[in-house]
Amino acid sequence: MDTKLSDQVSRKRYEREQRARIEAKSLLEAKSRELFLVNQELS
Amino acid sequence: MKGTIFVELIKMAEDAFGETVVDDVLENADLENGGSFTTVGNYPCSELIKIVTALSDHSGISPADLQRKFGHWIMDHFVEDYAEMFKGKNNSFEMLEAVDGEIHVEVKKLYPDAELPVFKTDRVADGHLEMIYSSPHPLVEFCHGMIEACLGQFDEAATIDQCPVSGNASATKFEITLEQ
């Protein structure tokens, strides 16, 4: 089994990470907006 | 199912089989999102099963064995990243009894509508805990691995038996008996 990590990563791996980051960012945008609106209702 | 579970499964696979293998496995596993997971996401459990199956096909290790190893792996991750969950717990039974409450918060905080497994515990005798795991998902071996790893965290040894629960096909009872 080749478990040694090389210095470079594959394009596929890079693109998976890229998509994951965008998904996480969208979630943060949506959830922070929800939080803001709920806070406004409270004040 | 929480993204952390997916991210950790992929990390375990990379640790065991290497990045190139994981690239190939994810590419060929016919995943809805191409294998791109974030810890804060929420994904269908069926996708996890697809990855486990693909890793099993690749490695020759049975899905049950992979699930159990993954249970150990993820418990180590919880100890590092959710250390506060373990605070104030004196032994494995206290930890296992707290799982149901902890998991609810961790899952529901971002996904209020998420479906949850249920972990019902009962101390039937000194050194003997029953834990009933109810879930529509086929992750009994994953739970078994986590229970083993939880015992390990507290330097305890026990026998763990799986029993069916009469009248509930989606539940499994773990009989956990400490070795004295």
Side-chain angles (χ1 to χ4, degrees), chain B residues 9-180:
Chain B
L9 177 63
I10 291 169
K11 277 209 284 199
M12 180 183 84
E14 284 170 357
D15 189 65
F17 311 124
E19 286 186 358
T20 314
V21 166
V22 170
D23 277 357
D24 290 346
V25 165
L26 291 178
E27 190 70 12
N28 296 314
D30 193 27
L31 298 164
E32 285 171 15
N33 65 3
S36 178
F37 300 100
T38 151
T39 54
V40 290
N42 196 43
Y43 311 96
C45 182
S46 51
E47 297 295 287
L48 190 82
I49 302 299
K50 279 187 204 169
I51 300 172
V52 171
T53 306
L55 289 170
S56 171
D57 290 345
H58 169 81
S59 64
I61 302 171
S62 73
D65 282 354
L66 280 173
Q67 275 198 29
R68 206 178 279 202
K69 281 180 209 301
F70 183 43
H72 281 261
W73 175 280
I74 204 122
M75 186 57 73
D76 292 345
H77 159 70
F78 288 157
V79 171
E80 280 172 29
D81 287 17
Y82 297 85
E84 68 280 10
M85 257 173 29
F86 292 81
K87 274 206 186 117
K89 311 292 193 304
N90 298 305
N91 52 56
S92 65
F93 285 5
E94 287 183 10
M95 186 65 226
L96 292 171
E97 284 164 345
V99 166
D100 206 57
E102 301 275 359
I103 203 171
H104 275 66
V105 177
E106 286 304 323
V107 176
K108 295 253 175 184
K109 67 182 182 187
L110 281 175
Y111 300 96
D113 301 328
E115 49 174 320
L116 287 161
V118 176
F119 295 94
K120 194 170 160 290
T121 52
D122 185 12
R123 294 223 200 182
V124 287
D126 204 26
H128 182 182
L129 183 78
E130 273 184 8
M131 179 175 233
I132 296 178
Y133 160 66
S134 311
S135 163
H137 304 310
L139 296 174
V140 171
E141 292 299 327
F142 177 45
C143 289
H144 195 120
M146 279 197 281
I147 294 169
E148 284 176 346
C150 181
L151 288 155
Q153 282 299 329
F154 292 95
D155 288 322
E156 295 166 356
T159 54
I160 306 167
D161 294 312
Q162 293 177 15
C163 323
V165 175
S166 59
N168 188 351
S170 62
T172 300
K173 182 162 76 179
F174 292 100
E175 298 274 7
I176 308 159
T177 314
L178 290 180
E179 289 165 12
Q180 302 295 346

Side-chain angles (χ1 to χ4, degrees), chain A residues 1-6 8-10 12-13 15-21 23-24 27 31, chain B residues 14-19 22-23 26-27 33-38 40-41 43 110-112:
Chain A
M1 264 185 282
D2 173 26
T3 56
K4 195 170 158 290
L5 297 181
S6 77
Q8 298 199 321
V9 296
S10 70
K12 285 175 200 161
R13 176 166 298 267
E15 284 170 356
R16 282 202 305 272
E17 288 301 323
Q18 187 94 326
R19 287 198 306 271
R21 187 171 57 78
E23 188 195 330
L27 180 80
K31 291 289 172 186
Chain B
E14 284 170 357
D15 189 65
F17 311 124
E19 286 186 358
V22 170
D23 277 357
L26 291 178
E27 190 70 12
N33 65 3
S36 178
F37 300 100
T38 151
V40 290
Y43 311 96
L110 281 175
Y111 300 96

